[in-house]
Amino acid sequence: MTVVSVIGWLGAPALLAAYSLLTVQRLTVRSRAYGLLNGAGSLALVVNGTAHSAWPSVALNLIWLVIAASGASVALRNKRRCRW
């Protein structure tokens, strides 16, 4: 198994874990763990999809990565505001 395959196999359960933990209300949309699982999983699948020329998967996961990053940015911005 190649490194790229391992990356992909780690990314898929990260996304599934984020979604399933959100569904059973063990995480919230604003939790750090949810953002990290989503972002890391999406990035891993982008790497894997790019290596295998799976362009629809790459496009989907790039969009998912942007959504995760924007959510993390909003959470970070809100956290900074609360400290003042």
Side-chain angles (χ1 to χ4, degrees), residues 1-66:
M1 186 177 291
T2 66
V3 172
V4 170
S5 292
V6 171
I7 290 170
W9 280 109
L10 292 173
L15 281 179
L16 289 172
Y19 184 69
S20 62
L21 290 169
L22 182 69
T23 300
V24 298
Q25 298 179 345
R26 297 289 303 230
L27 293 177
T28 66
V29 174
R30 296 177 187 207
S31 69
R32 215 177 260 169
Y34 179 72
L36 287 172
L37 285 169
N38 263 323
S42 296
L43 182 59
L45 291 174
V46 166
V47 169
N48 182 272
T50 301
H52 294 289
S53 299
W55 303 119
S57 177
V58 170
L60 171 69
N61 283 293
L62 279 173
I63 293 166
W64 201 251
L65 182 58
V66 168

